[in-house]
Amino acid sequence: MTDELSAGFTGTPAEPPTGVRKAAKDAKDAVVRESTAVVVGAAEHPQTATGIVLTIGVLAFAIGYVLGRDASSNDSRWW
């Protein structure tokens, strides 16, 4: 009997997505399209991609260091 059952829906929906479902699908398609473009660009220019990643990392470290140092130098007294 279990051999006769086919689980899951394998067809296409009768109605196209609308509202939030359409917006989510469009957003997913845009993310896939842009991530593919980034991967292709990085594959064609590996030195540039490495330089950009390192620059972003250095800037993030510097911002974190400055913010952390500013937060630790608290000259006000709590007592």
Side-chain angles (χ1 to χ4, degrees), residues 69-78:
R69 188 157 170 89
D70 185 46
S72 68
S73 65
N74 191 1
D75 294 335
S76 63
R77 298 185 179 179
W78 58 273

Side-chain angles (χ1 to χ4, degrees), residues 14-36:
E15 300 175 5
T18 58
V20 174
R21 294 168 104 195
K22 183 176 182 343
K25 183 181 180 314
D26 292 344
K28 182 201 68 112
D29 292 341
V31 167
V32 168
R33 189 174 52 247
E34 293 300 320
S35 62
T36 303

Side-chain angles (χ1 to χ4, degrees), residues 3 9 19 27-28 39 49-50 58 62 69-70 73:
D3 295 335
F9 178 72
K28 182 201 68 112
V39 168
T50 303
V58 167
R69 188 157 170 89
D70 185 46
S73 65

Side-chain angles (χ1 to χ4, degrees), residues 1 5 8-10 12 14 18-19 23 25 32 34-35 38-42 44-45 47 49 53 58 61 67 71 77:
M1 180 183 249
L5 296 176
F9 178 72
T10 58
T12 57
T18 58
K25 183 181 180 314
V32 168
E34 293 300 320
S35 62
V38 168
V39 168
V40 169
E44 291 178 0
H45 308 285
Q47 291 86 4
V53 168
V58 167
F61 177 79
L67 290 176
R77 298 185 179 179

Side-chain angles (χ1 to χ4, degrees), residues 43-68:
E44 291 178 0
H45 308 285
Q47 291 86 4
T48 304
T50 303
I52 289 172
V53 168
L54 286 175
T55 302
I56 291 171
V58 167
L59 287 174
F61 177 79
I63 290 170
Y65 179 78
V66 168
L67 290 176

